[in-house]
Amino acid sequence: MLYTSRRDFLWQFGGGLGGLALTQLLAEAGDLPGIPKPKPEFNGGLHHVAKVKRVIQLFMNGGVSQPDTFDYKPELEKRHGKPFDPGTGEKVEGVTSSPGNLMKSPFPFKQHGTCGRWVSSVFPQLAGQVDRMAFLMAVASKSNVHGPSSYMMNTGFILPGFPCMGAWLSYGLGRLTENLPTFIVLPDARGLPYNQKGNFGAGFLPVAHQGTILNAAGTPPVSDLIPSLKTGFVTPEADKDALDLLAKLNRQHATTRPGDSRLDARIESYELAAGMQQHAPEALDLEKETATTRKNYGLDDTATADFGRRCLLARRLLERGVRFVQVWSGAGGPSGNWDNHSDIIKELPSIARSVDRPAAALLQDLHDRGLLKDTLLIWSTEFGRQPFTQGATGRDHNAGTSVAWLAGAGVKAGVAHGSSDDWSWRAGEDKVYCYDLHATILHLMGIDHTKLAVRHDGTDRRLTDVHGEVIEAILA
């Protein structure tokens, strides 16, 4: 024993054999019934053959205006400046203000690619990639408030406390490498999104499955990963000895407190940190990329450098065994994101420009490197915006419809599923929710969303709650 308290001494004196049995159970915990284990015959999937092994999600924080980006509506041009009357008898209401008149997009739309997808002028680079994308044109939400809607799009619930998709993937499929985290989050340099870290938490799953946050703009991106240069006495050998001793103490402590996932997560974090000390510096070193690659991602432009750096990091991390990387555009708050209440004309182009070139470069780079054969790229937001004005030229929140797209392994390229109404006000044909998007992503990764469940407070919880259908129309 490395240390013994009076309580531990009395417990061991009477229950030593029980302690040995408990230690054995803990050591075998990974083989206990109910713990998911990926199957080699399913290409690493749980329930069927997986087409996707790694995922990058680009999340646009604040609510992207779909009628000004991907959802072209000629009816808005015809009725620009007129009061909005959908003809359904339903009262038209704004979320944070009284609704104004209908407003056509101030940005011209054109058709692109062989698929003829309409894209506005705010996304000139992404427009060139539409033949690789599968669009979901009618994504609805159950909330028009940022916090609950962000929770819903990330965890499947509008309330806090539930595991996000990245945590479910980590729990269900485990690691691809022992040297880097399974689930990494790259937030906007301006700050964390709405809900702060709640969007990438593990909820009631073991804490080890929560997202690892990296500050891509920091030097280094991972704080305290290596000893300070001022502490010369901390040699690699001494550091290893200290970590070994700490691991022994932690494991001894954990055996007396079974079921506390925080202890397991802490032990695992130290072990992971030891691996990251050797491998993370190389993975995060963008200077190893060619000048051409860095330029393609927009690192030479202050407008695109932050998002471009994080997109490039995401690709490097996936190449080195990270399973799920979430890249955020926009911080929480009234500005510096996609929450364009005041002036679409002035606010949307700058935030769109910051992601357009890097996101298009990421998709092209994944293709050129052959990574799309087992990688999925997702672009999404928490909700859309209204077809009528807020103030003079702003747009209010709209839970009725928004747009998302996917590209990569297992996804049919150059297609669109669903549509909104004539004004981009409500989802119309083939409406989907986050449940359907999540079910589809899990399906591509070899998981039946109805079977990946955890008993919590007497209920079998899952990412898709009691909903969700795989969107077969966009699958190759």
Side-chain angles (χ1 to χ4, degrees):
M1 296 294 291
L2 294 170
Y3 73 91
T4 304
S5 67
R6 181 167 57 183
R7 179 186 300 174
D8 291 337
F9 174 78
L10 292 174
W11 182 87
Q12 292 163 21
F13 185 76
L17 293 177
L20 290 174
L22 173 62
T23 302
Q24 181 67 19
L25 281 175
L26 287 171
E28 296 175 353
D31 295 324
L32 290 176
I35 301 296
K37 293 189 69 175
K39 296 178 173 60
E41 64 269 27
F42 289 160
N43 193 30
L46 278 181
H47 307 119
H48 55 261
V49 175
K51 293 186 177 180
V52 172
K53 286 189 175 181
R54 299 88 57 90
V55 176
I56 297 177
Q57 182 181 25
L58 309 179
F59 198 97
M60 308 295 109
N61 183 58
V64 177
S65 179
Q66 78 287 348
D68 297 302
T69 51
F70 294 116
D71 199 13
Y72 176 55
K73 294 298 176 184
E75 194 67 23
L76 286 182
E77 297 189 354
K78 295 178 184 178
R79 300 179 60 182
H80 175 72
K82 296 180 180 179
F84 180 40
D85 179 8
T88 61
E90 183 178 352
K91 184 179 180 181
V92 177
E93 294 181 337
V95 178
T96 63
S97 67
S98 299
N101 293 329
L102 289 169
M103 181 175 71
K104 68 178 181 180
S105 177
F107 313 106
F109 274 78
K110 289 176 58 178
Q111 289 179 284
H112 295 270
T114 58
C115 65
R117 175 55 33 201
W118 289 93
V119 183
S120 88
S121 61
V122 301
F123 285 143
Q125 301 300 319
L126 282 172
Q129 297 287 338
V130 292
D131 283 338
R132 293 196 173 105
M133 302 173 183
F135 283 86
L136 301 178
M137 300 300 297
V139 183
S141 178
K142 291 185 176 180
S143 174
N144 54 26
V145 180
H146 291 297
S149 188
S150 292
Y151 276 133
M152 183 176 178
M153 292 303 291
N154 283 280
T155 73
F157 295 82
I158 62 174
L159 298 175
F162 292 89
C164 67
M165 179 171 64
W168 277 110
L169 292 175
S170 174
Y171 172 78
L173 298 177
R175 291 183 179 178
L176 291 171
T177 177
E178 295 298 318
N179 299 316
L180 292 169
T182 300
F183 170 25
I184 287 181
V185 179
L186 299 171
D188 196 297
R190 289 167 286 198
L192 294 173
Y194 303 107
N195 304 327
Q196 300 292 296
K197 298 178 181 179
N199 290 313
F200 12 95
F204 46 75
L205 294 178
V207 182
H209 300 295
Q210 69 185 0
T212 298
I213 301 172
L214 297 186
N215 177 15
T219 306
V222 185
S223 300
D224 304 320
L225 183 62
I226 58 176
S228 170
L229 296 177
K230 298 179 181 179
T231 56
F233 59 89
V234 183
T235 64
E237 293 76 15
D239 199 29
K240 182 180 183 303
D241 290 342
L243 287 173
D244 289 344
L245 176 61
L246 190 60
K248 292 178 181 178
L249 292 170
N250 281 333
R251 291 190 184 284
Q252 179 178 313
H253 186 64
T255 58
T256 64
R257 292 160 179 82
D260 189 342
S261 69
R262 295 173 299 174
L263 296 170
D264 295 330
R266 184 167 297 177
I267 294 170
E268 186 172 339
S269 70
Y270 286 126
E271 294 174 344
L272 178 60
M276 289 180 66
Q277 283 181 332
Q278 295 182 4
H279 298 274
E282 186 277 333
L284 302 176
D285 185 3
L286 300 187
E287 292 302 316
K288 293 186 178 295
E289 298 289 337
T290 66
T292 299
T293 297
R294 296 197 300 271
K295 183 176 181 179
N296 288 343
Y297 278 84
L299 271 61
D300 60 338
D301 186 341
T302 55
T304 56
D306 173 58
F307 196 74
R309 182 182 303 109
R310 290 181 288 121
C311 283
L312 183 51
L313 276 176
R315 190 219 79 205
R316 290 180 62 84
L317 290 167
L318 255 65
E319 285 180 309
R320 287 153 179 80
V322 176
R323 188 181 290 281
F324 184 77
V325 181
Q326 197 173 47
V327 184
W328 288 78
S329 169
S335 61
N337 53 38
W338 297 83
D339 195 22
N340 305 143
H341 286 279
S342 301
D343 191 338
I344 283 286
I345 299 172
K346 292 182 179 179
E347 294 171 351
L348 181 58
S350 60
I351 188 74
R353 182 188 174 194
S354 70
V355 307
D356 179 47
R357 182 178 170 191
L362 174 61
L363 182 50
Q364 184 66 48
D365 202 13
L366 292 172
H367 172 268
D368 293 345
R369 292 172 180 268
L371 293 172
L372 283 183
K373 64 184 180 184
D374 60 3
T375 299
L376 182 67
L377 180 63
I378 309 162
W379 188 95
S380 57
T381 187
E382 68 260 42
F383 48 56
R385 307 203 81 80
Q386 300 285 6
F388 48 79
T389 61
Q390 179 177 20
T393 54
R395 294 196 195 273
D396 208 344
H397 303 176
N398 181 11
T401 188
S402 65
V403 173
W405 56 259
L406 303 86
V411 173
K412 192 179 297 183
V415 301
H417 177 71
S419 61
S420 62
D421 57 24
D422 288 342
W423 307 277
S424 195
W425 181 51
R426 294 285 185 266
E429 183 182 2
D430 294 322
K431 175 170 68 174
V432 299
Y433 284 96
C434 65
Y435 315 116
D436 308 296
L437 176 59
H438 291 160
T440 304
I441 295 168
L442 293 183
H443 173 79
L444 288 169
M445 301 196 76
I447 299 173
D448 182 338
H449 72 102
T450 66
K451 295 180 180 179
L452 182 61
V454 169
R455 193 79 172 174
H456 176 67
D457 286 345
T459 302
D460 289 331
R461 295 292 191 186
R462 65 187 207 216
L463 174 62
T464 52
D465 195 13
V466 295
H467 314 283
E469 298 289 339
V470 175
I471 309 171
E472 299 284 352
I474 67 167
L475 300 184

PDB file of all heavy atoms in Angstrom, residues 303-332:
ATOM      1  N   ALA A 303      -9.014  37.627 -42.143  1.00  0.00           N
ATOM      2  CA  ALA A 303     -10.448  37.335 -42.095  1.00  0.00           C
ATOM      3  C   ALA A 303     -10.722  35.846 -41.977  1.00  0.00           C
ATOM      4  O   ALA A 303     -11.742  35.430 -41.419  1.00  0.00           O
ATOM      5  CB  ALA A 303     -11.135  37.898 -43.331  1.00  0.00           C
ATOM      6  N   THR A 304      -9.841  35.022 -42.505  1.00  0.00           N
ATOM      7  CA  THR A 304     -10.070  33.575 -42.546  1.00  0.00           C
ATOM      8  C   THR A 304      -9.074  32.775 -41.714  1.00  0.00           C
ATOM      9  O   THR A 304      -9.222  31.556 -41.573  1.00  0.00           O
ATOM     10  CB  THR A 304      -9.987  33.072 -44.003  1.00  0.00           C
ATOM     11  OG1 THR A 304      -8.721  33.455 -44.565  1.00  0.00           O
ATOM     12  CG2 THR A 304     -11.100  33.665 -44.857  1.00  0.00           C
ATOM     13  N   ALA A 305      -8.084  33.442 -41.142  1.00  0.00           N
ATOM     14  CA  ALA A 305      -6.971  32.726 -40.503  1.00  0.00           C
ATOM     15  C   ALA A 305      -7.425  31.870 -39.331  1.00  0.00           C
ATOM     16  O   ALA A 305      -6.989  30.722 -39.175  1.00  0.00           O
ATOM     17  CB  ALA A 305      -5.900  33.709 -40.054  1.00  0.00           C
ATOM     18  N   ASP A 306      -8.302  32.392 -38.468  1.00  0.00           N
ATOM     19  CA  ASP A 306      -8.697  31.628 -37.276  1.00  0.00           C
ATOM     20  C   ASP A 306      -9.463  30.371 -37.656  1.00  0.00           C
ATOM     21  O   ASP A 306      -9.094  29.255 -37.255  1.00  0.00           O
ATOM     22  CB  ASP A 306      -9.547  32.489 -36.342  1.00  0.00           C
ATOM     23  CG  ASP A 306     -10.111  31.679 -35.186  1.00  0.00           C
ATOM     24  OD1 ASP A 306      -9.318  31.081 -34.440  1.00  0.00           O
ATOM     25  OD2 ASP A 306     -11.358  31.600 -35.052  1.00  0.00           O
ATOM     26  N   PHE A 307     -10.518  30.510 -38.440  1.00  0.00           N
ATOM     27  CA  PHE A 307     -11.294  29.333 -38.818  1.00  0.00           C
ATOM     28  C   PHE A 307     -10.466  28.408 -39.709  1.00  0.00           C
ATOM     29  O   PHE A 307     -10.556  27.179 -39.597  1.00  0.00           O
ATOM     30  CB  PHE A 307     -12.575  29.761 -39.536  1.00  0.00           C
ATOM     31  CG  PHE A 307     -13.609  28.672 -39.626  1.00  0.00           C
ATOM     32  CD1 PHE A 307     -14.338  28.311 -38.503  1.00  0.00           C
ATOM     33  CD2 PHE A 307     -13.848  28.005 -40.816  1.00  0.00           C
ATOM     34  CE1 PHE A 307     -15.298  27.295 -38.570  1.00  0.00           C
ATOM     35  CE2 PHE A 307     -14.799  26.993 -40.902  1.00  0.00           C
ATOM     36  CZ  PHE A 307     -15.531  26.639 -39.775  1.00  0.00           C
ATOM     37  N   GLY A 308      -9.641  28.978 -40.577  1.00  0.00           N
ATOM     38  CA  GLY A 308      -8.784  28.167 -41.423  1.00  0.00           C
ATOM     39  C   GLY A 308      -7.795  27.346 -40.620  1.00  0.00           C
ATOM     40  O   GLY A 308      -7.555  26.165 -40.923  1.00  0.00           O
ATOM     41  N   ARG A 309      -7.213  27.957 -39.590  1.00  0.00           N
ATOM     42  CA  ARG A 309      -6.263  27.236 -38.729  1.00  0.00           C
ATOM     43  C   ARG A 309      -6.951  26.047 -38.075  1.00  0.00           C
ATOM     44  O   ARG A 309      -6.396  24.941 -37.997  1.00  0.00           O
ATOM     45  CB  ARG A 309      -5.712  28.191 -37.674  1.00  0.00           C
ATOM     46  CG  ARG A 309      -4.675  27.564 -36.741  1.00  0.00           C
ATOM     47  CD  ARG A 309      -4.203  28.552 -35.689  1.00  0.00           C
ATOM     48  NE  ARG A 309      -3.649  29.754 -36.292  1.00  0.00           N
ATOM     49  CZ  ARG A 309      -4.231  30.949 -36.274  1.00  0.00           C
ATOM     50  NH1 ARG A 309      -5.406  31.102 -35.673  1.00  0.00           N
ATOM     51  NH2 ARG A 309      -3.670  31.989 -36.837  1.00  0.00           N
ATOM     52  N   ARG A 310      -8.163  26.253 -37.613  1.00  0.00           N
ATOM     53  CA  ARG A 310      -8.865  25.174 -36.920  1.00  0.00           C
ATOM     54  C   ARG A 310      -9.354  24.085 -37.877  1.00  0.00           C
ATOM     55  O   ARG A 310      -9.374  22.907 -37.525  1.00  0.00           O
ATOM     56  CB  ARG A 310     -10.011  25.759 -36.086  1.00  0.00           C
ATOM     57  CG  ARG A 310      -9.460  26.551 -34.891  1.00  0.00           C
ATOM     58  CD  ARG A 310     -10.510  27.152 -33.993  1.00  0.00           C
ATOM     59  NE  ARG A 310     -11.193  28.286 -34.600  1.00  0.00           N
ATOM     60  CZ  ARG A 310     -12.506  28.333 -34.804  1.00  0.00           C
ATOM     61  NH1 ARG A 310     -13.265  27.314 -34.471  1.00  0.00           N
ATOM     62  NH2 ARG A 310     -13.051  29.406 -35.341  1.00  0.00           N
ATOM     63  N   CYS A 311      -9.729  24.468 -39.081  1.00  0.00           N
ATOM     64  CA  CYS A 311     -10.084  23.444 -40.075  1.00  0.00           C
ATOM     65  C   CYS A 311      -8.877  22.591 -40.445  1.00  0.00           C
ATOM     66  O   CYS A 311      -8.980  21.364 -40.580  1.00  0.00           O
ATOM     67  CB  CYS A 311     -10.660  24.111 -41.326  1.00  0.00           C
ATOM     68  SG  CYS A 311     -12.363  24.688 -41.159  1.00  0.00           S
ATOM     69  N   LEU A 312      -7.731  23.228 -40.601  1.00  0.00           N
ATOM     70  CA  LEU A 312      -6.515  22.493 -40.918  1.00  0.00           C
ATOM     71  C   LEU A 312      -6.100  21.594 -39.754  1.00  0.00           C
ATOM     72  O   LEU A 312      -5.677  20.444 -39.952  1.00  0.00           O
ATOM     73  CB  LEU A 312      -5.391  23.473 -41.277  1.00  0.00           C
ATOM     74  CG  LEU A 312      -4.054  22.876 -41.717  1.00  0.00           C
ATOM     75  CD1 LEU A 312      -4.226  21.842 -42.812  1.00  0.00           C
ATOM     76  CD2 LEU A 312      -3.105  23.988 -42.167  1.00  0.00           C
ATOM     77  N   LEU A 313      -6.231  22.106 -38.528  1.00  0.00           N
ATOM     78  CA  LEU A 313      -5.953  21.279 -37.353  1.00  0.00           C
ATOM     79  C   LEU A 313      -6.885  20.069 -37.310  1.00  0.00           C
ATOM     80  O   LEU A 313      -6.457  18.961 -36.972  1.00  0.00           O
ATOM     81  CB  LEU A 313      -6.121  22.099 -36.072  1.00  0.00           C
ATOM     82  CG  LEU A 313      -4.945  22.953 -35.621  1.00  0.00           C
ATOM     83  CD1 LEU A 313      -5.334  23.769 -34.391  1.00  0.00           C
ATOM     84  CD2 LEU A 313      -3.736  22.080 -35.306  1.00  0.00           C
ATOM     85  N   ALA A 314      -8.144  20.294 -37.645  1.00  0.00           N
ATOM     86  CA  ALA A 314      -9.110  19.190 -37.630  1.00  0.00           C
ATOM     87  C   ALA A 314      -8.674  18.081 -38.574  1.00  0.00           C
ATOM     88  O   ALA A 314      -8.736  16.891 -38.230  1.00  0.00           O
ATOM     89  CB  ALA A 314     -10.495  19.712 -38.005  1.00  0.00           C
ATOM     90  N   ARG A 315      -8.232  18.455 -39.759  1.00  0.00           N
ATOM     91  CA  ARG A 315      -7.777  17.438 -40.701  1.00  0.00           C
ATOM     92  C   ARG A 315      -6.555  16.692 -40.169  1.00  0.00           C
ATOM     93  O   ARG A 315      -6.464  15.458 -40.253  1.00  0.00           O
ATOM     94  CB  ARG A 315      -7.438  18.088 -42.045  1.00  0.00           C
ATOM     95  CG  ARG A 315      -7.176  17.086 -43.177  1.00  0.00           C
ATOM     96  CD  ARG A 315      -6.046  17.558 -44.063  1.00  0.00           C
ATOM     97  NE  ARG A 315      -4.751  17.294 -43.464  1.00  0.00           N
ATOM     98  CZ  ARG A 315      -3.645  17.984 -43.755  1.00  0.00           C
ATOM     99  NH1 ARG A 315      -3.678  18.986 -44.606  1.00  0.00           N
ATOM    100  NH2 ARG A 315      -2.488  17.662 -43.181  1.00  0.00           N
ATOM    101  N   ARG A 316      -5.598  17.405 -39.593  1.00  0.00           N
ATOM    102  CA  ARG A 316      -4.402  16.780 -39.050  1.00  0.00           C
ATOM    103  C   ARG A 316      -4.750  15.848 -37.893  1.00  0.00           C
ATOM    104  O   ARG A 316      -4.176  14.763 -37.754  1.00  0.00           O
ATOM    105  CB  ARG A 316      -3.395  17.844 -38.596  1.00  0.00           C
ATOM    106  CG  ARG A 316      -2.743  18.612 -39.739  1.00  0.00           C
ATOM    107  CD  ARG A 316      -1.755  19.665 -39.208  1.00  0.00           C
ATOM    108  NE  ARG A 316      -0.659  19.070 -38.456  1.00  0.00           N
ATOM    109  CZ  ARG A 316       0.453  18.576 -38.986  1.00  0.00           C
ATOM    110  NH1 ARG A 316       0.616  18.585 -40.307  1.00  0.00           N
ATOM    111  NH2 ARG A 316       1.400  18.076 -38.221  1.00  0.00           N
ATOM    112  N   LEU A 317      -5.689  16.253 -37.056  1.00  0.00           N
ATOM    113  CA  LEU A 317      -6.072  15.427 -35.910  1.00  0.00           C
ATOM    114  C   LEU A 317      -6.749  14.141 -36.369  1.00  0.00           C
ATOM    115  O   LEU A 317      -6.499  13.067 -35.820  1.00  0.00           O
ATOM    116  CB  LEU A 317      -6.990  16.227 -34.981  1.00  0.00           C
ATOM    117  CG  LEU A 317      -6.315  17.373 -34.222  1.00  0.00           C
ATOM    118  CD1 LEU A 317      -7.345  18.283 -33.582  1.00  0.00           C
ATOM    119  CD2 LEU A 317      -5.347  16.827 -33.163  1.00  0.00           C
ATOM    120  N   LEU A 318      -7.614  14.244 -37.370  1.00  0.00           N
ATOM    121  CA  LEU A 318      -8.257  13.043 -37.882  1.00  0.00           C
ATOM    122  C   LEU A 318      -7.246  12.084 -38.494  1.00  0.00           C
ATOM    123  O   LEU A 318      -7.343  10.866 -38.321  1.00  0.00           O
ATOM    124  CB  LEU A 318      -9.310  13.416 -38.935  1.00  0.00           C
ATOM    125  CG  LEU A 318     -10.761  13.318 -38.463  1.00  0.00           C
ATOM    126  CD1 LEU A 318     -11.021  14.332 -37.358  1.00  0.00           C
ATOM    127  CD2 LEU A 318     -11.724  13.514 -39.605  1.00  0.00           C
ATOM    128  N   GLU A 319      -6.265  12.637 -39.196  1.00  0.00           N
ATOM    129  CA  GLU A 319      -5.225  11.786 -39.786  1.00  0.00           C
ATOM    130  C   GLU A 319      -4.457  11.006 -38.730  1.00  0.00           C
ATOM    131  O   GLU A 319      -3.927   9.926 -39.011  1.00  0.00           O
ATOM    132  CB  GLU A 319      -4.242  12.648 -40.580  1.00  0.00           C
ATOM    133  CG  GLU A 319      -4.761  13.150 -41.909  1.00  0.00           C
ATOM    134  CD  GLU A 319      -3.727  13.991 -42.636  1.00  0.00           C
ATOM    135  OE1 GLU A 319      -3.169  14.926 -42.021  1.00  0.00           O
ATOM    136  OE2 GLU A 319      -3.478  13.715 -43.825  1.00  0.00           O
ATOM    137  N   ARG A 320      -4.408  11.530 -37.511  1.00  0.00           N
ATOM    138  CA  ARG A 320      -3.611  10.926 -36.449  1.00  0.00           C
ATOM    139  C   ARG A 320      -4.452  10.145 -35.441  1.00  0.00           C
ATOM    140  O   ARG A 320      -3.969   9.794 -34.377  1.00  0.00           O
ATOM    141  CB  ARG A 320      -2.782  12.018 -35.760  1.00  0.00           C
ATOM    142  CG  ARG A 320      -1.629  12.497 -36.643  1.00  0.00           C
ATOM    143  CD  ARG A 320      -1.214  13.921 -36.342  1.00  0.00           C
ATOM    144  NE  ARG A 320      -0.093  14.314 -37.196  1.00  0.00           N
ATOM    145  CZ  ARG A 320      -0.227  14.704 -38.479  1.00  0.00           C
ATOM    146  NH1 ARG A 320      -1.436  14.755 -39.036  1.00  0.00           N
ATOM    147  NH2 ARG A 320       0.822  15.026 -39.195  1.00  0.00           N
ATOM    148  N   GLY A 321      -5.726   9.904 -35.789  1.00  0.00           N
ATOM    149  CA  GLY A 321      -6.513   8.973 -34.981  1.00  0.00           C
ATOM    150  C   GLY A 321      -7.603   9.567 -34.128  1.00  0.00           C
ATOM    151  O   GLY A 321      -8.255   8.829 -33.387  1.00  0.00           O
ATOM    152  N   VAL A 322      -7.830  10.870 -34.175  1.00  0.00           N
ATOM    153  CA  VAL A 322      -8.961  11.447 -33.458  1.00  0.00           C
ATOM    154  C   VAL A 322     -10.236  11.074 -34.215  1.00  0.00           C
ATOM    155  O   VAL A 322     -10.290  11.159 -35.441  1.00  0.00           O
ATOM    156  CB  VAL A 322      -8.827  12.977 -33.337  1.00  0.00           C
ATOM    157  CG1 VAL A 322     -10.052  13.586 -32.665  1.00  0.00           C
ATOM    158  CG2 VAL A 322      -7.570  13.330 -32.544  1.00  0.00           C
ATOM    159  N   ARG A 323     -11.265  10.668 -33.482  1.00  0.00           N
ATOM    160  CA  ARG A 323     -12.472  10.172 -34.135  1.00  0.00           C
ATOM    161  C   ARG A 323     -13.449  11.289 -34.493  1.00  0.00           C
ATOM    162  O   ARG A 323     -14.070  11.272 -35.554  1.00  0.00           O
ATOM    163  CB  ARG A 323     -13.188   9.160 -33.229  1.00  0.00           C
ATOM    164  CG  ARG A 323     -14.345   8.468 -33.931  1.00  0.00           C
ATOM    165  CD  ARG A 323     -15.056   7.498 -33.007  1.00  0.00           C
ATOM    166  NE  ARG A 323     -14.270   6.328 -32.687  1.00  0.00           N
ATOM    167  CZ  ARG A 323     -14.106   5.283 -33.492  1.00  0.00           C
ATOM    168  NH1 ARG A 323     -14.654   5.293 -34.705  1.00  0.00           N
ATOM    169  NH2 ARG A 323     -13.401   4.241 -33.114  1.00  0.00           N
ATOM    170  N   PHE A 324     -13.610  12.273 -33.605  1.00  0.00           N
ATOM    171  CA  PHE A 324     -14.627  13.306 -33.813  1.00  0.00           C
ATOM    172  C   PHE A 324     -14.046  14.672 -33.453  1.00  0.00           C
ATOM    173  O   PHE A 324     -13.559  14.866 -32.335  1.00  0.00           O
ATOM    174  CB  PHE A 324     -15.856  13.016 -32.949  1.00  0.00           C
ATOM    175  CG  PHE A 324     -17.002  13.972 -33.152  1.00  0.00           C
ATOM    176  CD1 PHE A 324     -17.822  13.875 -34.257  1.00  0.00           C
ATOM    177  CD2 PHE A 324     -17.259  14.978 -32.238  1.00  0.00           C
ATOM    178  CE1 PHE A 324     -18.890  14.751 -34.450  1.00  0.00           C
ATOM    179  CE2 PHE A 324     -18.318  15.859 -32.418  1.00  0.00           C
ATOM    180  CZ  PHE A 324     -19.133  15.742 -33.518  1.00  0.00           C
ATOM    181  N   VAL A 325     -14.089  15.606 -34.405  1.00  0.00           N
ATOM    182  CA  VAL A 325     -13.609  16.971 -34.173  1.00  0.00           C
ATOM    183  C   VAL A 325     -14.744  17.937 -34.494  1.00  0.00           C
ATOM    184  O   VAL A 325     -15.333  17.873 -35.572  1.00  0.00           O
ATOM    185  CB  VAL A 325     -12.380  17.315 -35.031  1.00  0.00           C
ATOM    186  CG1 VAL A 325     -11.904  18.738 -34.723  1.00  0.00           C
ATOM    187  CG2 VAL A 325     -11.253  16.320 -34.792  1.00  0.00           C
ATOM    188  N   GLN A 326     -15.029  18.809 -33.551  1.00  0.00           N
ATOM    189  CA  GLN A 326     -16.066  19.817 -33.748  1.00  0.00           C
ATOM    190  C   GLN A 326     -15.409  21.184 -33.830  1.00  0.00           C
ATOM    191  O   GLN A 326     -14.683  21.596 -32.927  1.00  0.00           O
ATOM    192  CB  GLN A 326     -17.070  19.773 -32.596  1.00  0.00           C
ATOM    193  CG  GLN A 326     -18.382  20.472 -32.890  1.00  0.00           C
ATOM    194  CD  GLN A 326     -19.395  20.262 -31.781  1.00  0.00           C
ATOM    195  OE1 GLN A 326     -19.071  20.420 -30.606  1.00  0.00           O
ATOM    196  NE2 GLN A 326     -20.626  19.926 -32.130  1.00  0.00           N
ATOM    197  N   VAL A 327     -15.656  21.886 -34.942  1.00  0.00           N
ATOM    198  CA  VAL A 327     -15.076  23.207 -35.183  1.00  0.00           C
ATOM    199  C   VAL A 327     -16.211  24.231 -35.143  1.00  0.00           C
ATOM    200  O   VAL A 327     -17.156  24.144 -35.930  1.00  0.00           O
ATOM    201  CB  VAL A 327     -14.358  23.261 -36.546  1.00  0.00           C
ATOM    202  CG1 VAL A 327     -13.670  24.615 -36.722  1.00  0.00           C
ATOM    203  CG2 VAL A 327     -13.349  22.126 -36.672  1.00  0.00           C
ATOM    204  N   TRP A 328     -16.116  25.198 -34.244  1.00  0.00           N
ATOM    205  CA  TRP A 328     -17.174  26.179 -34.037  1.00  0.00           C
ATOM    206  C   TRP A 328     -16.845  27.497 -34.734  1.00  0.00           C
ATOM    207  O   TRP A 328     -15.711  27.963 -34.697  1.00  0.00           O
ATOM    208  CB  TRP A 328     -17.384  26.439 -32.554  1.00  0.00           C
ATOM    209  CG  TRP A 328     -18.047  25.302 -31.849  1.00  0.00           C
ATOM    210  CD1 TRP A 328     -17.459  24.133 -31.451  1.00  0.00           C
ATOM    211  CD2 TRP A 328     -19.425  25.202 -31.482  1.00  0.00           C
ATOM    212  NE1 TRP A 328     -18.389  23.314 -30.853  1.00  0.00           N
ATOM    213  CE2 TRP A 328     -19.599  23.948 -30.851  1.00  0.00           C
ATOM    214  CE3 TRP A 328     -20.514  26.060 -31.608  1.00  0.00           C
ATOM    215  CZ2 TRP A 328     -20.835  23.536 -30.352  1.00  0.00           C
ATOM    216  CZ3 TRP A 328     -21.743  25.644 -31.113  1.00  0.00           C
ATOM    217  CH2 TRP A 328     -21.895  24.402 -30.500  1.00  0.00           C
ATOM    218  N   SER A 329     -17.859  28.094 -35.339  1.00  0.00           N
ATOM    219  CA  SER A 329     -17.756  29.446 -35.878  1.00  0.00           C
ATOM    220  C   SER A 329     -18.695  30.345 -35.091  1.00  0.00           C
ATOM    221  O   SER A 329     -19.907  30.142 -35.089  1.00  0.00           O
ATOM    222  CB  SER A 329     -18.150  29.469 -37.356  1.00  0.00           C
ATOM    223  OG  SER A 329     -18.294  30.802 -37.813  1.00  0.00           O
ATOM    224  N   GLY A 330     -18.122  31.318 -34.392  1.00  0.00           N
ATOM    225  CA  GLY A 330     -18.924  32.251 -33.621  1.00  0.00           C
ATOM    226  C   GLY A 330     -18.944  31.918 -32.146  1.00  0.00           C
ATOM    227  O   GLY A 330     -19.078  30.760 -31.749  1.00  0.00           O
ATOM    228  N   ALA A 331     -18.812  32.952 -31.326  1.00  0.00           N
ATOM    229  CA  ALA A 331     -18.913  32.812 -29.877  1.00  0.00           C
ATOM    230  C   ALA A 331     -20.336  33.123 -29.437  1.00  0.00           C
ATOM    231  O   ALA A 331     -21.162  33.590 -30.215  1.00  0.00           O
ATOM    232  CB  ALA A 331     -17.923  33.753 -29.192  1.00  0.00           C
ATOM    233  N   GLY A 332     -20.640  32.855 -28.175  1.00  0.00           N
ATOM    234  CA  GLY A 332     -21.924  33.245 -27.632  1.00  0.00           C
ATOM    235  C   GLY A 332     -21.995  34.758 -27.468  1.00  0.00           C
ATOM    236  O   GLY A 332     -20.977  35.436 -27.386  1.00  0.00           O
TER     237      GLY A 332
END
